[in-house]
Amino acid sequence: MEIRSGFFLKTYFYRIIFKETFTPQPMELEKFSYDNKIVKAFIIATVVFGLVGMLVGLTAAIQLFYPVFNFDLQYTTFGRIRPLHTNAIIFAFVGNAMFAGIYYSMQRLLKTRMFSDMLSWIHFWGWQLIILAAAISLPLGYTTSKEYAELEWPIDIAITIIWVVFGWNMIGTILRRREKHMYVAIWFYIATFVTVAVLHIVNSFAIPVSFMKSYSWYAGVQDALVQWWYGHNAVAFFLTTPFLGLMYYFLPKAANRPVYSYRLSIVHFWSLIFIYIWAGPHHLLYSTLPDWAQSLGTVFSIMLIAPSWGGMLNGLFTLRGAWDRVREDPVLKFMVVAVTAYGMATLEGPLLSLKEVNAIAHFTDWIVAHVHVGGLGWNGFLIFGILYWVVPRMWGTSLYSTKLANVHFWIGTLGIIFYALPMYISGVVQSLMWKEFNAEGFLVYKNFLETTVQILPMHMLRAIGGGLYLTGAIIMTYNLIKTAFAGSFIANEPAEAAPLVKTETSSGGGWHHVLESKPIMFSVLTLIAILIGGIVEMVPAFLIKSNVPTITEVKPYTPLELHGRDIYIREGCVGCHSQLVRPFRSEVERYDPLGGEYSKSGEYVYDHPFLWGSKRTGPDLQRLGGKYNDLWHYNHMRYPDVVSTGSIMPAYPWLYEQKIDLSQTAPKIKALRRIGVPYEEGYEAIANEHLKIQARRISENLELELQGEGVDPELEIVALIAYLQRLGMDIKASKTAENK
Amino acid sequence: MYKSVLQGIDNIAIWPIISLSIFFIFFVLLLWWVFTVDKKFIKRMENLPFDQADKTIDQQTLTNQSL
């Protein structure tokens, strides 16, 4: 009975949904070749940008205990090179590696050359130009400040176009394949393409102010929700799904045995893409995001353990009976550590999504450790393993030195340990110091700086870890170059396979079986799977007013404050300073001892973009206004370590030389009004007058205290002070109004 | 809490029900398929990364059998 109903359902699904499918014609073999040249180009880009990205990361790491390592240059200051590092690693190193792996494996799994060589090369050069644009624009301070989506709108449009080219080439290749069924790796590639497209477009909605300047379409808590829906899923669908696809191809190839359980890989795929998309709000626990959305993020994060570990175990068990080879083969060593790191990071992620753990870990170095276990361990080591496997094959030779590869493995592993362990210790130590009260009920470490100074030795150790990891990568580069020179590059690898012809007969095997032969249908289902989570979380947060209670006293920024806020964004202050006081006694006591207010959604309604941040290397700034006088800020931004002894904040001498661009005031006001900030019609015409009055007030105030030193009111520092002094003043005003 | 937040949208209650139904039906079908699918098909799929996949299993035979 059961078998009959099974057969009936299978046939039913097939007949209803799919009228025709492909069947192979085994007799006639077609000759063709695999394009190795495009893979080679992406590999070179991977290695070059990997070294650059790691070097920038190491520089940033050193600046965190030795601030003058920015050479007092604005282009190399921490706030600007941190996004350069993250973008270089994610999109240049990991991105290029992903494309190299996909182009190599996809051709072989589908038994065809890529759909179009021209599209492949447009994709390659387009992507490299985007990286170049990022490498120039980020140090220049052009940033949206939204993490991992910092690039400004013209580059965002270029990314969209190039991504479509990649997808077009991929889907085209799938459609003209010679293998009827799509191996599980291909599903992961499709999910990557579809989801990253959706994420990028939705999160990048912005209103342009000028060339290379825009404001996020969304404000405050809504912007935060969209950003972390994006941010979390960028990790999921840029750093994870494509690499799971690569794991499912390259690990069996390297181990020379099929994946442990193909059945498990099917469940792994669907459950992972279904669940991952919901978990974004775990980045916003204890924020002003409605509780229901936070809880949803936590629940789905816990659920994620199952598919993630399913995938990890599937990878590790693939080596059953071949563990002796792991001892000798560096490729397998790298892959084993990569998959293990994936398992650790995907257990840690859900644990960090528990509010109790998050309360300690969030905003600290713990998160930095967590992402680097994923980045250095999972992505980095899988990439190294793949490169060591693929380069000798593409050059028709064997690896130049297995010994050097083993050295790389051990130096890299030590690098990860030296990176992660100090960061875990540093995170927990600093967090506990932030929260410690004495018997009288006062904060023990009232001065935030005490907690920073305490963890500096850990920052030094972390830099050593990063240095070791980079050294390993340099050794690999040498080894791969020597390998390539020893062999002869096979640009077009000959292959042969039977063509597929369309027939009206079923291949059988049920609905999923048929699905795998229908790439477009497969892509649409993937799209539906990932859209459900996003829609259910976002629509209520946008449509229901009660989710963002307004505060009457919260007013739009003045023109001068707006300029100041844009300088704050340009300098990447958000990289070290949060603007989110969580509802903990320790935070309210530290950041708003007089008002006693934690953050409210209504405070952020005009914040395009939101600036909550994700890391506190310095203190939270949401209630900074009025805490110090203008002169303190003036001196502090110029000589931070003099004003606060031991501070690791860099100096910003250029703010005392550069002037704000008054011609941009009107376009800024107009752009913000279009996305809902209530500046009156025509205000842009008089905005600069208001700006000058406020600026003069601050500069005169400064001149008075500086006793003779002139301060030009149009200097950037004046605008920044105006903004810093505005922070948190609205909620203080509302409190005063309540008292009256 | 969850309900009170969402009730501002007309017929909002149907959303999570539809989502849950899609989840449930999809995964039941998926698991059912995974556990009942032809072993030869699985064998062939897991061997796809290997060049000898075509040679080891006759595609035509597989197609006929799984029908």
Side-chain angles (χ1 to χ4, degrees):
Chain A
M1 181 65 191
E2 199 182 322
I3 294 165
R4 271 193 189 177
S5 65
F7 177 76
F8 171 74
L9 265 174
K10 282 179 193 174
T11 320
Y12 174 79
F13 265 95
Y14 168 70
R15 284 186 182 156
I16 292 295
I17 304 173
F18 311 105
K19 287 274 187 275
E20 58 179 24
T21 185
F22 293 107
T23 50
Q25 206 173 53
M27 301 313 284
E28 305 158 24
L29 290 181
E30 284 181 347
K31 289 193 187 308
F32 59 99
S33 64
Y34 297 130
D35 181 5
N36 276 351
K37 220 171 153 194
I38 188 71
V39 182
K40 174 186 167 185
F42 276 117
I43 285 177
I44 293 171
T46 303
V47 174
V48 171
F49 289 124
L51 295 177
V52 173
M54 289 171 210
L55 190 63
V56 176
L58 183 59
T59 309
I62 293 171
Q63 287 175 0
L64 282 180
F65 58 86
Y66 190 55
V68 290
F69 207 64
N70 66 10
F71 318 110
D72 272 351
L73 283 175
Q74 55 182 320
Y75 312 109
T76 46
T77 196
F78 181 83
R80 297 197 194 183
I81 68 165
R82 180 197 177 263
L84 184 67
H85 163 62
T86 53
N87 278 273
I89 290 299
I90 297 172
F91 300 109
F93 173 53
V94 177
N96 276 313
M98 174 214 302
F99 298 135
I102 289 177
Y103 277 58
Y104 184 90
S105 59
M106 179 174 266
Q107 298 184 76
R108 285 154 178 86
L109 283 169
L110 300 175
K111 298 194 172 61
T112 179
R113 195 179 174 88
M114 288 306 291
F115 172 65
S116 156
D117 281 11
M118 190 177 73
L119 286 181
S120 300
W121 287 104
I122 292 175
H123 174 206
F124 175 77
W125 285 112
W127 196 254
Q128 310 318 313
L129 281 176
I130 287 165
I131 293 167
L132 183 69
I136 295 170
S137 65
L138 289 172
L140 285 175
Y142 296 113
T143 171
T144 65
S145 90
K146 293 175 80 165
E147 278 185 78
Y148 323 123
E150 287 92 348
L151 303 177
E152 267 297 352
W153 67 274
I155 309 176
D156 277 343
I157 292 173
I159 292 172
T160 311
I161 294 168
I162 295 302
W163 197 257
V164 169
V165 168
F166 163 56
W168 178 9
N169 204 9
M170 181 163 80
I171 301 288
T173 310
I174 295 172
L175 288 177
R176 67 173 222 186
R177 68 198 184 277
R178 292 187 179 83
E179 168 54 54
K180 184 176 63 174
H181 288 286
M182 295 187 294
Y183 182 66
V184 66
I186 307 289
W187 315 354
F188 279 105
Y189 304 157
I190 291 176
T192 302
F193 165 66
V194 170
T195 315
V196 170
V198 174
L199 293 169
H200 174 67
I201 291 169
V202 174
N203 190 45
S204 298
F205 271 133
I207 181 121
V209 176
S210 60
F211 180 63
M212 298 303 280
K213 175 68 193 168
S214 63
Y215 291 123
S216 172
W217 196 270
Y218 320 101
V221 66
Q222 291 162 349
D223 196 32
L225 179 60
V226 176
Q227 159 60 26
W228 283 112
W229 166 78
Y230 164 86
H232 171 74
N233 290 302
V235 173
F237 288 88
F238 204 91
L239 301 176
T240 307
T241 54
F243 281 80
L244 287 170
L246 298 180
M247 177 191 86
Y248 276 121
Y249 179 77
F250 286 101
L251 185 57
K253 290 291 274 185
N256 201 24
R257 57 194 58 227
V259 65
Y260 169 66
S261 166
Y262 194 76
R263 285 188 167 88
L264 180 56
S265 75
I266 296 167
V267 181
H268 176 205
F269 172 80
W270 284 111
S271 49
L272 194 84
I273 67 158
F274 253 119
I275 296 171
Y276 231 128
I277 205 85
W278 294 76
H282 70 207
H283 290 259
L284 299 169
L285 297 182
Y286 291 111
S287 76
T288 73
L289 189 74
D291 274 351
W292 64 265
Q294 295 187 31
S295 304
L296 212 55
T298 300
V299 169
F300 277 86
S301 303
I302 299 299
M303 284 162 68
L304 256 181
I305 296 175
S308 301
W309 273 53
M312 175 199 66
L313 294 175
N314 212 1
L316 288 181
F317 287 165
T318 298
L319 293 165
R320 73 205 181 286
W323 283 96
D324 55 311
R325 285 189 47 217
V326 177
R327 209 166 43 192
E328 286 136 26
D329 186 353
V331 171
L332 289 179
K333 279 184 201 173
F334 276 108
M335 288 183 176
V336 164
V337 172
V339 176
T340 309
Y342 172 67
M344 291 198 297
T346 53
L347 176 67
E348 188 187 14
L351 294 180
L352 286 167
S353 306
L354 296 171
K355 277 191 148 185
E356 291 75 7
V357 183
N358 194 274
I360 297 169
H362 194 57
F363 285 138
T364 76
D365 284 330
W366 186 337
I367 306 302
V368 183
H370 169 62
V371 300
H372 281 85
V373 168
L376 302 171
W378 164 238
N379 293 117
F381 267 35
L382 195 61
I383 291 170
F384 299 148
I386 291 171
L387 291 181
Y388 280 123
W389 187 85
V390 91
V391 167
R393 278 164 182 79
M394 281 172 48
W395 269 265
T397 182
S398 52
L399 190 64
Y400 167 70
S401 167
T402 306
K403 208 170 182 179
L404 274 183
N406 278 321
V407 170
H408 174 198
F409 171 78
W410 285 110
I411 288 190
T413 305
L414 269 180
I416 296 174
I417 293 167
F418 266 92
Y419 191 107
L421 285 183
M423 289 291 94
Y424 283 120
I425 296 168
S426 155
V428 175
V429 165
Q430 191 175 28
S431 184
L432 294 180
M433 288 176 84
W434 289 345
K435 290 172 188 294
E436 193 171 343
F437 282 95
N438 60 22
E440 287 77 37
F442 295 107
L443 286 169
V444 174
Y445 305 100
K446 191 152 178 54
N447 184 357
F448 187 97
L449 191 53
E450 288 178 79
T451 72
T452 308
V453 174
Q454 185 72 30
I455 57 172
L456 289 189
M458 297 298 137
H459 282 190
M460 292 173 195
L461 281 174
R462 178 260 297 267
I464 291 172
L468 286 172
Y469 195 86
L470 174 60
T471 308
I474 293 169
I475 293 172
M476 176 195 73
T477 308
Y478 172 76
N479 204 353
L480 292 182
I481 290 173
K482 290 295 271 184
T483 306
F485 277 114
S488 141
F489 180 60
I490 308 158
N492 295 296
E493 196 176 314
E496 56 180 25
L500 289 180
V501 286
K502 280 187 176 182
T503 74
E504 291 294 322
T505 57
S506 166
S507 65
W511 62 282
H512 197 282
H513 190 144
V514 178
L515 196 58
E516 286 160 35
S517 61
K518 290 281 177 186
I520 304 292
M521 181 67 75
F522 194 95
S523 305
V524 171
L525 277 183
T526 308
L527 181 67
I528 293 171
I530 60 114
L531 281 182
I532 292 172
I535 290 172
V536 172
E537 277 173 358
M538 269 184 238
V539 171
F542 276 80
L543 293 187
I544 301 172
K545 264 193 132 152
S546 64
N547 275 350
V548 188
T550 48
I551 301 169
T552 324
E553 283 73 17
V554 174
K555 300 280 187 286
Y557 295 103
T558 67
L560 186 67
E561 289 158 7
L562 202 55
H563 276 282
R565 191 169 199 269
D566 286 338
I567 293 166
Y568 186 96
I569 290 171
R570 184 189 73 193
E571 300 304 340
C573 304
V574 72
C576 290
H577 296 281
S578 57
Q579 288 188 18
L580 181 76
V581 181
R582 294 178 292 177
F584 300 140
R585 184 176 152 234
S586 59
E587 298 214 349
V588 172
E589 179 70 20
R590 180 181 298 281
Y591 299 118
D592 194 8
L594 299 177
E597 293 281 357
Y598 55 85
S599 295
K600 313 286 187 299
S601 286
E603 294 181 69
Y604 303 107
V605 289
Y606 304 127
D607 280 10
H608 295 271
F610 81 115
L611 291 172
W612 293 0
S614 61
K615 171 76 175 66
R616 280 184 191 147
T617 302
D620 187 277
L621 300 183
Q622 207 204 351
R623 302 273 184 264
L624 183 66
K627 188 174 178 186
Y628 305 103
N629 63 20
D630 292 351
L631 182 67
W632 185 92
H633 286 295
Y634 188 82
N635 288 331
H636 182 245
M637 296 300 295
R638 189 148 56 166
Y639 308 112
D641 58 336
V642 173
V643 175
S644 306
T645 311
S647 170
I648 55 165
M649 188 171 105
Y652 293 83
W654 53 92
L655 299 181
Y656 301 75
E657 293 158 9
Q658 295 168 182
K659 292 183 180 179
I660 53 173
D661 185 356
L662 293 179
S663 70
Q664 287 302 305
T665 313
K668 284 179 184 187
I669 300 279
K670 273 198 269 185
L672 285 171
R673 187 169 50 224
R674 282 186 65 189
I675 49 177
V677 180
Y679 290 112
E680 279 175 28
E681 204 64 48
Y683 181 69
E684 61 272 22
I686 54 165
N688 269 337
E689 287 170 37
H690 284 192
L691 181 152
K692 284 175 185 170
I693 293 168
Q694 192 183 5
R696 211 172 305 125
R697 208 165 47 225
I698 295 172
S699 73
E700 283 171 3
N701 188 15
L702 287 170
E703 283 172 357
L704 201 68
E705 300 200 54
L706 287 165
Q707 295 173 348
E709 188 182 325
V711 178
D712 187 332
E714 287 181 25
L715 284 178
E716 288 184 340
I717 184 67
V718 174
L720 184 63
I721 290 173
Y723 173 63
L724 295 176
Q725 293 289 32
R726 168 66 185 272
L727 287 171
M729 293 311 276
D730 290 336
I731 196 94
K732 286 173 191 169
S734 82
K735 197 103 179 164
T736 317
E738 259 174 41
N739 292 341
K740 279 178 186 170
Chain B
M1 171 65 188
Y2 188 73
K3 214 175 166 187
S4 70
V5 169
L6 291 171
Q7 65 193 7
I9 300 177
D10 288 340
N11 298 322
I12 187 67
I14 200 75
W15 287 37
I17 293 170
I18 292 173
S19 303
L20 185 65
S21 311
I22 295 172
F23 266 64
F24 188 76
I25 294 167
F26 184 87
F27 278 100
V28 167
L29 283 175
L30 182 73
L31 288 172
W32 168 73
W33 179 78
V34 161
F35 286 114
T36 58
V37 70
D38 192 336
K39 267 184 188 161
K40 280 184 183 155
F41 171 69
I42 291 290
K43 193 85 191 153
R44 182 172 142 59
M45 288 307 285
E46 67 187 21
N47 276 297
L48 267 187
F50 303 98
D51 297 334
Q52 68 272 24
D54 305 58
K55 293 163 197 164
T56 49
I57 300 168
D58 182 332
Q59 290 183 359
Q60 196 60 55
T61 314
L62 170 65
T63 308
N64 293 338
Q65 282 177 352
S66 57
L67 266 170

